[in-house]
Amino acid sequence: AQSVAQPEDQVNVAEGNPLTVKCTYSVSGNPYLFWYVQYPNRGLQFLLKYITGDNLVKGSYGFEAEFNKSQTSFHLKKPSALVSDSALYFCAVLDSGTYKYIFGTGTRLKVLA
Amino acid sequence: SQTIHQWPATLVQPVGSPLSLECTVEGTSNPNLYWYRQAAGRGLQLLFYSVGIGQISSEVPQNLSASRPQDRQFILSSKKLLLSDSGFYLCAWSRSYEQYFGPGTRLTVT
């Protein structure tokens, strides 16, 4: 069965510092991986995806993610955090056989001014 | 471009009352459609998904049901709400790989 894990409930980072939000996955077959962001009382917004190709994926708002097959990880990164990046971040994997998306439990990012 | 609508945005309903939440997608055809529930601002629970008209897959046995009367319309219903049905309900659509979410409905059952 497909699954993703987000080992950190919360990540705190100072504004201007680089940030990393961790995600590991377990899939059978090729992984289709995604990152979403959610602001309070809003729906999830798509940030980026890995389907195939380059291991470094660039997405919206300056975010990027690194796909690492040997470590089965897909960590979200940003070189310089903004206070406005504070939100809830979800990693997800697509089960291409059923069209179901399996989400991690979410990581709350707090960027401190 | 594609857009997804959900209504109402907020809803307060008494225990035992019926529920109907509606979701529509514009700008695409034959999307996969999903209903999720999010409790306490954390994880997403997949409730139902549909890959076509009349094709509904249920993920959790409970007092909710879903219907897809038209290609781009997805409805979440209940005949009698429970307190535990309170939460943030999110509709989403996908085609190809990416999934896009609606703005959500905040349901409070009192």
Side-chain angles (χ1 to χ4, degrees):
Chain A
Q2 325 277 35
S3 66
V4 292
Q6 294 183 242
E8 304 154 316
D9 279 347
Q10 182 163 314
V11 170
N12 294 330
V13 63
E15 186 176 29
N17 283 2
L19 69 86
T20 298
V21 182
K22 296 180 180 177
C23 173
T24 58
Y25 66 89
S26 175
V27 303
S28 54
N30 295 323
Y32 302 113
L33 299 162
F34 306 84
W35 275 103
Y36 291 85
V37 60
Q38 185 182 32
Y39 297 98
N41 297 309
R42 304 287 295 274
L44 278 68
Q45 295 179 35
F46 170 81
L47 279 179
L48 50 81
K49 69 178 184 287
Y50 173 83
I51 304 299
T52 186
D54 290 340
N55 291 341
L56 185 63
V57 179
K58 294 191 181 296
S60 306
Y61 312 120
F63 284 93
E64 57 190 27
E66 187 170 10
F67 171 69
N68 188 315
K69 188 173 182 178
S70 63
Q71 297 186 9
T72 62
S73 67
F74 189 56
H75 300 332
L76 181 69
K77 300 182 179 184
K78 188 173 183 181
S80 178
L82 300 172
V83 171
S84 58
D85 292 330
S86 299
L88 186 57
Y89 290 81
F90 289 97
C91 180
V93 63
L94 170 63
D95 183 331
S96 58
T98 63
Y99 301 103
K100 286 166 49 178
Y101 292 78
I102 294 90
F103 284 82
T105 52
T107 298
R108 193 165 300 280
L109 173 68
K110 286 194 173 181
V111 181
L112 308 170
Chain B
S1 64
Q2 300 86 8
T3 55
I4 179 170
H5 303 280
Q6 272 188 258
W7 64 91
T10 59
L11 192 59
V12 180
Q13 292 284 97
V15 169
S17 64
L19 173 73
S20 181
L21 302 181
E22 190 162 342
C23 171
T24 59
V25 180
E26 296 178 354
T28 188
S29 59
N30 197 29
N32 296 331
L33 296 171
Y34 306 80
W35 278 111
Y36 294 90
R37 179 169 61 201
Q38 186 179 30
R42 292 306 297 213
L44 296 173
Q45 179 186 27
L46 178 63
L47 301 175
F48 302 94
Y49 67 102
S50 171
V51 298
I53 295 175
Q55 300 178 59
I56 310 290
S57 296
S58 173
E59 286 297 294
V60 285
Q62 53 192 344
N63 67 320
L64 299 174
S65 62
S67 62
R68 184 171 178 171
Q70 300 180 44
D71 181 45
R72 292 170 289 172
Q73 185 184 28
F74 206 24
I75 298 173
L76 182 70
S77 304
S78 174
K79 292 182 179 178
K80 289 186 177 182
L81 285 168
L82 306 173
L83 284 174
S84 58
D85 291 324
S86 293
F88 193 48
Y89 287 81
L90 291 161
C91 182
W93 73 274
S94 73
R95 197 170 178 207
S96 187
Y97 299 106
E98 296 171 19
Q99 187 177 53
Y100 296 94
F101 285 79
T105 295
R106 174 76 58 192
L107 172 65
T108 303
V109 182
T110 60

